[in-house]
Every structure is written in C-alpha cells, then in structure tokens.
Amino acid sequence: GGQRDGEVFGILGPTGGGKTTLGVHLAVSNANWCWVTGQAAGKRPKFVIYITAEESAVLLRPRVWSAFFRMQRGRAAMPDPFSIMTTPDTLLPYERDDQRGQQRVMSESERYVLRRPILNTCFAVLDISGSAEFPNAGTGYIDELEAHITRLVEARDGQELSMVVIDYAGIIVQRHMEFNGTDEEK
C-alpha cells in the first residue's frame, strides 16, 4: 500500500536482475492492500492490472501464484501445482521456516483457499506479449493499452482501478516501432 494515487515508478536494471519479480510483488502487495481496505470499509475493493509484454501470462502465472499463495516458485511452476499442494498433515520445511513465530502454520492448500478470492477479485493479468494465446497483441502502443485497460474496467462492472504495472514499457515501444516500420535512429 505504499504507492500514492497518481504516482508513476520506473524500475530499471539488467536482464535477470529481478524487475519482473519486484513488479509482481508490488502488484500482489497492492492487490492485498485493495482487499484489506475494501473489506475494512465494507466496499468493493479496487483492483490491479499487471500488463505482461515480455513473457506470456502462462509463464508469468507461477510468479503470481508464488507471491499470492506464498509458495516456492518451483512448486507453483509444476504442471498441476494444485494437485501437489501441501495440507496441514504434509507441511514442508520451507512453510515452517516462512511462518516461524506464527501461532499456526498454514499449508499451501489452506493459503490457496484463503487468498484465492483476493487474486480473483483484486488482480488481473493482461497478456500483450504476442504469445500463442494472444498472437496479435502488443503492437498497438498506448492506444492498445488504453483500450485493453478500459475494457477490463468495464468488464468488471466499473470496479475501480488501483494500480497498473507494465512489464515492460521498452518492449512495447520496440514492437510498435517494428510493426509500423519506424526507423529506430529517427
């Protein structure tokens, strides 16, 4: 909840430096904040849109699930992570370590059931990576982003938007220029 309305942040760094991971964690943190503040006020919570332009939503999903459900990313990336989730009787050492000091250690399946409504209500992924799932997405620049965001808000019956994370803006510019045959030097 540390971001103020209207603020814009840019995260720069080398490939593999953790920009996407940080972006996912910021978005998940904000979605959690939306849920808590909505519940406290007795109002419909706001939501977050995570726009993925580099990797497909399918590849991004384990990162999001890992952050939301506090699962090890490798476990969240399994072909069917829900079938291998721990239960109260099958806790793994990482869960005990991660939740040390809490009165009760929750299993992956318990965390999933508890936090799934937050994910479904307060988080949306927009895939404009040009993936096989959405092959024509990602060349329309600002107009495309605006149209997709507007459509998502309208589809959610006017649910208020809290944050948009764009991962990453540079590739959106590159694709738009390539699609339109723009000379990068100019």
Side-chain angles (χ1 to χ4, degrees):
Q3 303 81 24
R4 291 187 291 250
D5 287 346
E7 286 186 330
V8 176
F9 299 93
I11 302 171
L12 304 172
T15 301
K19 299 177 300 295
T20 297
T21 300
L22 180 59
V24 166
H25 282 272
L26 287 170
V28 167
S29 176
N30 193 271
N32 287 324
W33 180 253
C34 291
W35 180 264
V36 168
T37 56
Q39 295 291 309
K43 295 181 177 178
R44 184 177 186 193
K46 296 178 182 181
F47 78 109
V48 174
I49 298 174
Y50 192 97
I51 299 172
T52 180
E54 185 175 23
E55 64 184 12
S56 72
V58 170
L59 294 176
L60 183 72
R61 235 173 252 138
R63 293 175 191 247
V64 172
W65 289 343
S66 175
F68 259 107
F69 308 131
R70 296 184 64 105
M71 290 178 69
Q72 289 179 331
R73 191 162 139 199
R75 292 181 58 76
M78 299 293 278
D80 183 11
F82 307 106
S83 68
I84 61 151
M85 283 185 171
T86 61
T87 65
D89 298 327
T90 62
L91 293 171
L92 294 172
Y94 92 88
E95 293 174 291
R96 288 186 178 87
D97 291 343
D98 186 49
Q99 299 176 61
R100 183 172 287 129
Q102 294 185 14
Q103 281 187 323
R104 183 176 171 285
V105 176
M106 293 179 66
S107 68
E108 291 170 343
S109 56
E110 290 172 302
R111 294 190 308 271
Y112 171 76
V113 168
L114 181 69
R115 302 181 59 73
R116 185 181 61 206
I118 303 169
L119 173 65
N120 292 340
T121 303
C122 299
F123 198 86
V125 174
L126 174 58
D127 183 347
I128 62 164
S129 67
S131 67
E133 200 172 356
F134 305 102
N136 297 320
T139 58
Y141 203 49
I142 303 301
D143 293 339
E144 180 183 16
L145 291 178
E146 182 182 15
H148 283 306
I149 291 168
T150 299
R151 196 170 18 258
L152 267 171
V153 170
E154 288 171 356
R156 288 176 169 254
D157 243 352
Q159 182 180 9
E160 197 174 334
L161 184 59
S162 173
M163 171 191 264
V164 176
V165 174
I166 302 172
D167 184 13
Y168 73 96
I171 202 164
I172 293 171
V173 173
Q174 250 179 347
R175 275 201 203 109
H176 179 70
M177 290 173 61
E178 287 171 9
F179 184 75
N180 289 300
T182 305
D183 182 1
E184 193 174 320
E185 296 298 318
K186 296 180 181 180

